[in-house]
């Protein structure tokens, strides 16, 4: 028996990637930057916690508003298509023929499909939404789930680079361990992201690690530069 396996959790993965990518990178860069300017681990931890709280809320809210916007756009376009199959029947019929012609199907061959869709107006609208506009109906709880997933992923990722500062009194020892564990976390995250997305896992791991490392190095260097008296 042939069983096709397709990945069907694209939205969830997208939200985890957004949250984890920023959660690992931004607090990592902040902690590294503050290490270049102060030797007080308590200050770095407090600043890191504040950033994680603010960042997770901002990212979660951004995900919520984006998903809400997608849902509103879908409903608006669907309402327009519902009007057009009534008020502009000929134009919509021609659009059906145009869609099938892109696949090498002639008008004569696609006419039975058109007639079948005309008997089921909602199916006709569904077809136009998918094949004319390329829009999929959003999940009912998409906005709420997106916000929660992005925020939780941000918090989880943010605590990884901050953890050494919570248990080590020396800022430079904490920075060294923060760099090590965050680089490993970025590489693992990038590798998994590549596997899930169907791209090169090694390439994805290298890109993710390079981006996070570059951000932290830039923050550390700038903090050291401007903290020199």
């Amino acid at each position: 028996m042939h069983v096709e396996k397709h990945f069907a959790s694209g939205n969830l993965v997208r939200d985890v990637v957004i949250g984890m990518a920023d959660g690992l990178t931004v607090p990592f860069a902040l902690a590294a930057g503050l290490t270049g300017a102060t030797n007080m681990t308590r200050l770095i931890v407090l600043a890191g916690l504040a950033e994680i709280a603010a960042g997770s809320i901002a990212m979660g809210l951004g995900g919520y508003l984006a998903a809400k916007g997608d849902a509103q756009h879908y409903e608006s376009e669907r309402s327009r298509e519902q009007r057009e199959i009534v008020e502009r029947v000929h134009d919509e019929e021609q659009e059906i023929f145009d869609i099938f012609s892109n696949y090498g199907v002639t008008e004569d061959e696609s006419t039975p499909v058109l007639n079948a869709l005309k008997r089921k107006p909602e199916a006709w609208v569904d077809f136009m939404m998918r094949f004319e506009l390329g829009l999929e109906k959003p999940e009912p709880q998409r906005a709420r789930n997106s916000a929660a997933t992005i925020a939780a992923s941000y918090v989880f990722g943010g605590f990884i680079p901050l953890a050494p500062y919570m248990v080590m009194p020396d800022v430079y020892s904490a920075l060294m361990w923060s760099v090590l564990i965050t680089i490993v976390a970025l590489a693992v995250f990038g590798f998994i992201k590549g596997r899930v997305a169907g791209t090169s896992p090694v390439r994805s791991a290298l890109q993710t690690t390079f981006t996070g490392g570059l951000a932290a190095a830039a923050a550390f260097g700038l903090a050291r530069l401007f903290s020199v008296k």
Side-chain angles (χ1 to χ4, degrees):
M1 179 180 293
H2 172 66
V3 178
E4 292 190 11
K5 295 181 179 181
H6 298 285
F7 186 73
S9 300
N11 288 332
L12 175 63
V13 171
R14 171 183 170 275
D15 292 340
V16 171
V17 167
I18 291 173
M20 280 289 290
D22 278 10
L24 281 168
T25 304
V26 178
F28 181 36
L30 174 66
L34 289 175
T35 302
T38 181
N39 59 0
M40 297 177 60
T41 55
R42 183 172 179 271
L43 176 62
I44 296 173
V45 170
L46 290 176
L49 292 175
E51 197 289 321
I52 290 173
S56 62
I57 293 171
M59 293 290 291
L61 180 60
Y64 179 86
L65 294 176
K68 272 292 187 183
D70 289 343
Q72 291 169 354
H73 174 64
Y74 180 88
E75 291 302 326
S76 174
E77 290 296 322
R78 186 175 181 85
S79 296
R80 184 175 64 84
E81 285 294 333
Q82 287 172 333
R83 291 194 304 271
E84 288 182 349
I85 66 171
V86 175
E87 300 170 1
R88 302 177 59 182
V89 178
H90 178 73
D91 292 337
E92 293 298 296
E93 290 176 346
Q94 186 58 51
E95 287 175 357
I96 291 284
F97 293 138
D98 292 340
I99 291 170
F100 278 109
S101 69
N102 292 330
Y103 296 93
V105 181
T106 66
E107 287 193 14
D108 289 340
E109 292 170 331
S110 57
T111 296
V113 178
L114 172 60
N115 292 333
L117 290 173
K118 290 173 69 174
R119 291 193 295 269
K120 300 177 180 179
E122 286 303 305
W124 190 357
V125 173
D126 290 339
F127 184 91
M128 300 306 288
M129 292 295 292
R130 176 65 182 87
F131 291 98
E132 181 194 7
L133 302 178
L135 296 177
E136 297 283 356
K137 185 176 181 179
E139 300 171 8
Q141 302 299 325
R142 169 71 182 138
R144 185 192 65 186
N145 294 341
S146 178
T149 302
I150 292 175
S153 299
Y154 192 99
V155 171
F156 180 80
F159 271 98
I160 292 176
L162 199 60
Y165 292 92
M166 295 179 173
V167 297
M168 294 182 177
D170 181 67
V171 291
Y172 289 104
S173 296
L175 174 63
M176 180 188 70
W177 281 103
S178 179
V179 169
L180 288 175
I181 65 174
T182 304
I183 286 177
V184 172
L186 285 167
V188 171
F189 170 66
F191 187 89
I192 294 173
K193 182 180 71 172
R195 286 290 298 272
V196 170
T199 60
S200 170
V202 174
R203 184 176 181 178
S204 176
L206 291 175
Q207 289 175 337
T208 305
T209 304
F210 176 77
T211 301
L214 182 63
F220 179 82
L222 288 172
R224 289 288 289 181
L225 177 64
F226 290 108
S227 65
V228 175
K229 298 181 180 179

